[in-house]
Amino acid sequence: MGQKANPIGLRVGVTRDWDSKWYSKKDYAKYVHEDLAIKRMLRAELANAAVSKIRIERQRDSDIRIFIETAFPSRVIGRKGSEVSKLRDMLVKQVGKSVHIEVLSIDNPDTDARLIAENIASQLLRRTSFRRAMKRAIASAVRAGVEGIKVSCAGRLGGAEMSRREWYLEGRLPLHTLRADIDYGYALARTTYGAIGVKVWVFKGEVLGKSSKKGEAS
């Protein structure tokens, strides 16, 4: 029986921070469900905007700040801010609180684990060979400068009768090292043969405090 830990959850408080930042004594469960509903709605509305992370901060009971990290900020913001205003109005209507949205740009989408997984999943939906999609994603990430990457696909690969898992690894991936900056992403491709799960691990170097080991050595 495999006993595995999520690489992001394992490093929270060591090299990673929380995706939701707030404190509550009596309304904890309510805020958790509210955060999940906000993220679910935003991901559904921004399905074509290559959104990697959605971070939520609550400064007061009636004030929510949302940070959206995306590879295509213009698709989230829209013409003269029309799209982001529409999103804000929808969220205010849903949660009944003041909402502020900040859109952050991702400099290199080829090194973001979630975006890599979603890219592979979209290729599988277009009936691209899973091996070709995986190898292409790994090659792009290595060219972008990552120190290691692992891609795994599981399901009825290529329409096979029996489901199986295949994976490729390039470079180093020290999952047991807490100071290692490991980015993890997951995506699901609902093909005509069934669901295929795509998992991606990206090793971006070692982190010591706020500076990377690679930066100190140079």
Side-chain angles (χ1 to χ4, degrees):
M1 175 177 157
Q3 298 177 348
K4 301 175 182 66
N6 186 298
I8 295 174
L10 185 68
R11 288 167 175 79
V12 168
V14 183
T15 58
R16 297 289 295 249
D17 207 351
W18 297 95
D19 283 343
S20 291
K21 282 186 175 181
W22 45 265
Y23 176 79
S24 176
K25 286 186 177 179
K26 58 180 181 178
D27 294 324
Y28 179 84
K30 172 189 167 187
Y31 288 161
V32 168
H33 285 288
E34 203 171 78
D35 283 6
L36 289 173
I38 288 171
K39 291 181 178 181
R40 200 176 294 120
M41 195 210 81
L42 287 175
R43 290 208 177 274
E45 291 293 325
L46 302 171
N48 298 321
V51 173
S52 172
K53 297 181 184 67
I54 299 173
R55 294 183 286 112
I56 298 174
E57 291 184 7
R58 297 174 187 267
Q59 296 167 335
R60 296 181 296 276
D61 290 340
S62 59
D63 190 21
I64 301 175
R65 294 177 66 84
I66 301 173
F67 300 87
I68 301 174
E69 297 183 22
T70 172
F72 303 112
S74 57
R75 294 185 187 177
V76 180
I77 297 169
R79 193 178 185 86
K80 296 183 179 178
S82 60
E83 292 298 321
V84 77
S85 297
K86 189 169 75 173
L87 285 174
R88 190 184 301 111
D89 293 341
M90 291 171 66
L91 288 171
V92 168
K93 188 176 180 181
Q94 179 174 325
V95 301
K97 298 175 183 176
S98 173
V99 177
H100 304 278
I101 298 177
E102 287 191 30
V103 181
L104 307 175
S105 175
I106 296 174
D107 294 331
N108 200 339
D110 289 333
T111 63
D112 189 284
R114 185 179 181 103
L115 296 186
I116 294 171
E118 288 183 351
N119 181 35
I120 294 172
S122 67
Q123 291 184 60
L124 294 177
L125 289 173
R126 297 195 301 268
R127 297 178 179 269
T128 304
S129 165
F130 70 92
R131 287 194 184 91
R132 185 182 302 138
M134 291 164 73
K135 289 178 179 178
R136 192 182 296 162
I138 288 173
S140 298
V142 170
R143 279 198 306 270
V146 302
E147 294 194 18
I149 178 172
K150 178 182 176 182
V151 178
S152 167
C153 286
R156 292 184 60 187
L157 302 175
E161 191 78 16
M162 188 169 295
S163 65
R164 67 184 193 276
R165 178 184 301 275
E166 288 206 16
W167 55 271
Y168 292 98
L169 171 66
E170 187 79 31
R172 287 198 313 131
L173 197 72
L175 293 177
H176 290 197
T177 307
L178 289 181
R179 67 176 179 272
D181 183 9
I182 304 284
D183 191 16
Y184 171 75
Y186 172 79
L188 189 67
R190 298 189 181 277
T191 68
T192 53
Y193 298 112
I196 295 179
V198 182
K199 295 180 180 179
V200 177
W201 296 259
V202 176
F203 175 45
K204 299 181 179 179
E206 294 188 1
V207 178
L208 298 173
K210 291 187 177 180
S211 61
S212 67
K213 186 175 180 182
K214 187 165 60 176
E216 287 181 352
S218 59

